[in-house]
Structure formats: structure tokens, C-alpha cells
Amino acid sequence: MPDFNVGFVIFPDLTQLDFTGPFEVLSRLATPPSLSSPSAFAHSRTHIVAKTMQPVLSDRGLRILPTCDFDSCPQLDLICVPGGPGVVGAIADDKTVDFVRIQSARARYVTSVCMGAFLLGAAGLLKGRRATTHWAYVDLLPLVGATHENGRIARDGNLFTSGGVTSGIDFAFRIVAELAGPEVAQAIQLGIEYDPAPPFDAGHPSKASEAAIALMVRRNEPAHNSLQQL
Amino acid sequence: MPDFNVGFVIFPDLTQLDFTGPFEVLSRLATPPSLSSPSAFAHSRTHIVAKTMQPVLSDRGLRILPTCDFDSCPQLDLICVPGGPGVVGAIADDKTVDFVRIQSARARYVTSVCMGAFLLGAAGLLKGRRATTHWAYVDLLPLVGATHENGRIARDGNLFTSGGVTSGIDFAFRIVAELAGPEVAQAIQLGIEYDPAPPFDAGHPSKASEAAIALMVRRNEPAHNSLQQL
């Protein structure tokens, strides 16, 4: 049975939880928590892909080592592009955009978390598609030819795009359920005790204070302005 | 104003999301999303501490670079110990246990995620305390002198222990609210769009299938057996 290759594309100034959240879930396909029979995903492999093999620094100071570079990465079955302010630089880098475009052409699933949607967009992959991204950037989706779809995760055919940062965890469970079935997804959910209980209910603009929204819009202004050049 | 030093202790075979989840939240104290006044936590610094400066490999293949080693780490104000199967090896390593014990003696907050509780326990820090850990290990808490407290997060004075893996995110918001106030916590929550919507409700044994529970108990057996030697 051939490997099922899952790959996360990382770049300087990414928001690491966009990547590490779904990585924790999807990497568990490799040790299939099959309840009754061996899973096809015993052959799943998870790759952390970057332009070079040098450590990649997140926007908050986490330094991560890739497992392969663009040249040594196998054809991916699922490509996932995380977000963060570094998306602006990634979009300006032809090699990164080309890698995403070429891999996505043959991948079974093309996916993003948060602002990663704009790297897919820069590679021409969102034209005429329904998509989402971090709430502070949804107004920019038409610049890459996409229509914003409300919701934490947007699916359009083989394209999954998700909202800000932590939405990547929910997205990953959707994908696991599709690939390996709901029982496997639920076993992984139990394994990582994903029974969220945030002490506040303020994680979406529909629930947050005006002051918090204004602050976060201001915080995101530099990246928002840069993406407007798309 | 002195720095407020937050430190995560990492070790081989940790479960990376135990660490990267709360890291994403707590590292945002360093760029305080204060709504009205400059926050004391503009001086927050986040450290990733390991025995040596070599990359640390997670149980699922993520390689992380520390920012300091045990010798160069400043006195921490908040120490956080993540979990994973590597806790067994960390407990067997005197230098690691000593580091946790010595740092915790002067830290303002002593905290753990998942099986990290047992590293605190091995350092003698849970004697006579109420605590929690990953659901598959709560029966072992008495071995380190602790009483299991029900709930996703257990607080006993300056000690915060949390349940499996993803509970670390909820724990981090509790800490931010205590340190910088609920408005700051809510602004960070909005920033990372933490409005969880898991596609299934199976993240706790009280909600999961018998088959999933049995499978996960079996999966955790090797580490469970090792910790029984405590």
C-alpha cells in the first residue's frame, strides 16, 4: 500500500499553533487508532516542509526544524498551509508559491488554516471557490477570487480552508473523519482529551467586546495592508 | 520593571501540543493586548528550556529548538511542564527532576499539562495537593501523594495542573486572566479565534464509546505501567 503523505508548509513568522494543532491530530493517523481493523492510514506519513532545512522561527519565538525541503518533499496527498504574519513574505517568494501550486495540482486535499488561505490564493488556487480565513481578513478573500463562506471551516470540493489559528484543530478532525471514519476521529479526540472548555466565550467577533475587536483589527492592520496589494 | 519569565520544560518524546497550545497563548502576554493601559506583561518573556540546546523530538516527529538550557535559564515566575510518553524518561533523569524542583521552589506558579503532572510529582511537588492529569493516568496520582480533583483544570494555591493535551489551552487562558485580567484573556482568545467547534463530542471518557476508551487505555498501557514504579 502506498504512503498517504500529509505535508505542512512552514515559513518564517508563521503562527505555530496554526500548524502544531492540526499536526498533533493528523500525525496520529500514522498509528491508526482503528477500533476493529487495521487502518489504511498505518501508512500515513507526516512531513514538515520548508524552503530549506534551516530552523524556521514562528512569530512568537518557537524554532521548528523541517523534515524535508521543497526539493526532497514527496508528492503530498494532503497539503496544509498555516498562517501568521509571515504569509506576506511567503507570498512574495516565488519558490514558495510555486511549491504550493505544483503540489496542490496533484494533492487529494488542498487545505489551509488562518491566513494560509492567502498563500493558496496567491498560487491561484482559490479562484471561483468558496473559502474562509481568520475573521480579520475575510474581506480580502475576493482579491484572490474567492467568495467568503461563513463558518469555522469552509469546504469546496477537495479544498478545506479554516478560520483563525485554533480552527485548525477542528479542521483536522473533519479530515480524519473523512479519511479514516468518525470512530477513528473520536478515538483521537479522546486520546488528546479534546473536550474544550474555554473560561470565556469571546473567541469570535460575534461574541467579543467592541474594544477587543478594535484592538485586534489594529494589531492585524500591517498584515491586512500588505495583503491588500495582492 | 523586572521581566515576568514564563518557561516550558521540554524533553524527548513529549506530546508537542501540551506545550505549543499554552505557548501560543502565554507568549502573547509579551505583546500585551491591553485595552486601556500598558500591561505589566509587556515585560513577559517566554523560555523553552531543555537539558541541552540540541533539538528535542516530540513523540509524533516535531523537532523543536530550545531557547535555553537548564544552566542558562533564568529563575522562572511560571514553570509549565508538558506531558507525553517522554515523561517516563524525564522522571528517570536526575538533572531534569532537580531542575523542576529547584525552579518550582521560587516560581510564582507551578503548572503542568497532561502527564507532566508526574514530573512535578517526581520532584515532590504534589505531596498533599489536589491535582489532575490525562484521564488515563488519574488513578496514579496517589503514587506521588496527590488527590485527584475532577475537572479539566485543578487549582491548589499556586499549583495548576490540567488534563490531557488540549486542556493546556484552556489552562493558559485561566492563567492569563489571573495575571493580566479577563479583558486581556478575551482579546487573546479573539486573536486566535478560540471558539472551538469539534465535529464530535467524544473528548472525555464520560462521552466516548467503550471501544474508544478501551483502545486508548491499551495505547497508554506502556507509560501507565512505567509510572506505576513511581
Side-chain angles (χ1 to χ4, degrees):
Chain A
M1 182 174 295
D3 286 342
F4 185 88
N5 288 297
V6 173
F8 293 89
V9 182
I10 65 170
F11 43 82
D13 263 338
L14 85 158
T15 295
Q16 59 86 19
L17 190 55
D18 291 14
F19 149 57
T20 53
F23 175 87
E24 191 66 50
V25 178
L26 289 170
S27 62
R28 289 174 188 243
L29 280 172
T31 48
S34 168
L35 301 184
S36 48
S37 61
S39 159
F41 294 95
H43 296 272
S44 166
R45 294 185 60 206
T46 314
H47 307 275
I48 304 165
V49 197
K51 191 175 175 180
T52 74
M53 295 300 288
Q54 293 305 305
V56 173
L57 183 62
S58 88
D59 60 344
R60 304 285 168 173
L62 181 69
R63 215 174 281 271
I64 300 161
L65 282 168
T67 60
C68 58
D69 60 17
F70 292 165
D71 291 331
S72 62
C73 182
Q75 173 60 47
L76 300 173
D77 297 289
L78 187 153
I79 182 169
C80 182
V81 179
V87 162
V88 173
I91 285 174
D93 183 72
D94 288 345
K95 280 202 173 168
T96 302
V97 175
D98 287 349
F99 177 81
V100 170
R101 183 191 300 111
I102 291 165
Q103 281 279 348
S104 296
R106 297 181 60 189
R108 190 164 146 201
Y109 294 98
V110 175
T111 75
S112 66
V113 179
C114 199
M115 293 162 68
F118 293 100
L119 184 45
L120 295 184
L125 298 161
L126 298 190
K127 280 182 192 137
R129 312 292 291 266
R130 291 174 285 106
T132 195
T133 183
H134 187 287
W135 62 265
Y137 299 87
V138 293
D139 61 307
L140 300 180
L141 285 170
L143 296 179
V144 289
T147 307
H148 174 226
E149 177 161 302
N150 276 320
R152 193 156 166 85
I153 296 152
R155 181 187 190 163
D156 183 346
N158 76 332
L159 173 75
F160 283 78
T161 51
S162 41
V165 193
T166 53
S167 67
I169 300 172
D170 297 324
F171 144 73
F173 280 107
R174 278 278 297 273
I175 283 282
V176 169
E178 170 145 344
L179 289 173
E183 287 195 343
V184 170
Q186 290 172 46
I188 294 177
Q189 184 178 6
L190 180 63
I192 65 169
E193 209 165 328
Y194 185 45
D195 185 29
F200 306 101
D201 189 18
H204 188 265
S206 62
K207 305 166 172 180
S209 71
E210 288 299 319
I213 294 170
L215 176 73
M216 283 300 144
V217 166
R218 209 157 60 238
R219 279 284 162 82
N220 284 288
E221 226 161 40
H224 192 277
N225 287 344
S226 299
L227 290 178
Q228 263 173 331
Q229 314 308 317
L230 270 171
Chain B
M1 182 174 297
D3 285 341
F4 185 89
N5 287 296
V6 174
F8 293 89
V9 182
I10 65 171
F11 44 82
D13 263 337
L14 85 157
T15 295
Q16 60 86 19
L17 190 56
D18 292 13
F19 149 57
T20 53
F23 175 87
E24 190 66 50
V25 177
L26 290 170
S27 62
R28 289 172 188 245
L29 280 172
T31 49
S34 168
L35 302 183
S36 48
S37 61
S39 159
F41 294 97
H43 296 273
S44 167
R45 293 185 61 206
T46 313
H47 307 274
I48 304 166
V49 197
K51 191 174 176 181
T52 74
M53 294 301 284
Q54 293 304 305
V56 173
L57 183 63
S58 88
D59 60 344
R60 305 283 168 172
L62 182 70
R63 215 174 282 272
I64 301 161
L65 282 167
T67 60
C68 59
D69 61 16
F70 292 165
D71 291 332
S72 62
C73 183
Q75 172 61 48
L76 300 173
D77 298 288
L78 186 154
I79 182 170
C80 182
V81 179
V87 163
V88 173
I91 285 174
D93 182 73
D94 287 346
K95 280 201 172 168
T96 303
V97 175
D98 287 349
F99 177 81
V100 170
R101 182 191 301 110
I102 292 164
Q103 281 279 349
S104 296
R106 298 181 58 191
R108 191 164 146 203
Y109 294 97
V110 176
T111 74
S112 65
V113 179
C114 199
M115 292 161 67
F118 293 99
L119 183 46
L120 295 183
L125 298 161
L126 297 190
K127 281 183 193 134
R129 313 293 288 268
R130 290 173 287 107
T132 195
T133 184
H134 187 287
W135 61 266
Y137 299 88
V138 293
D139 60 307
L140 301 179
L141 285 169
L143 295 180
V144 288
T147 306
H148 174 226
E149 177 161 301
N150 275 320
R152 194 155 167 86
I153 296 152
R155 182 186 189 161
D156 183 347
N158 76 333
L159 173 75
F160 284 78
T161 50
S162 40
V165 192
T166 53
S167 68
I169 300 172
D170 297 324
F171 144 74
F173 281 106
R174 278 278 299 272
I175 284 281
V176 169
E178 169 143 346
L179 289 173
E183 287 194 344
V184 170
Q186 290 172 47
I188 294 177
Q189 184 178 6
L190 180 62
I192 64 168
E193 211 167 325
Y194 186 44
D195 185 28
F200 306 101
D201 189 18
H204 189 266
S206 62
K207 304 166 172 181
S209 71
E210 288 300 321
I213 296 170
L215 177 73
M216 283 301 144
V217 166
R218 208 156 60 237
R219 278 284 162 83
N220 284 288
E221 227 162 38
H224 192 277
N225 287 343
S226 298
L227 289 178
Q228 263 173 330
Q229 315 306 320
L230 270 170

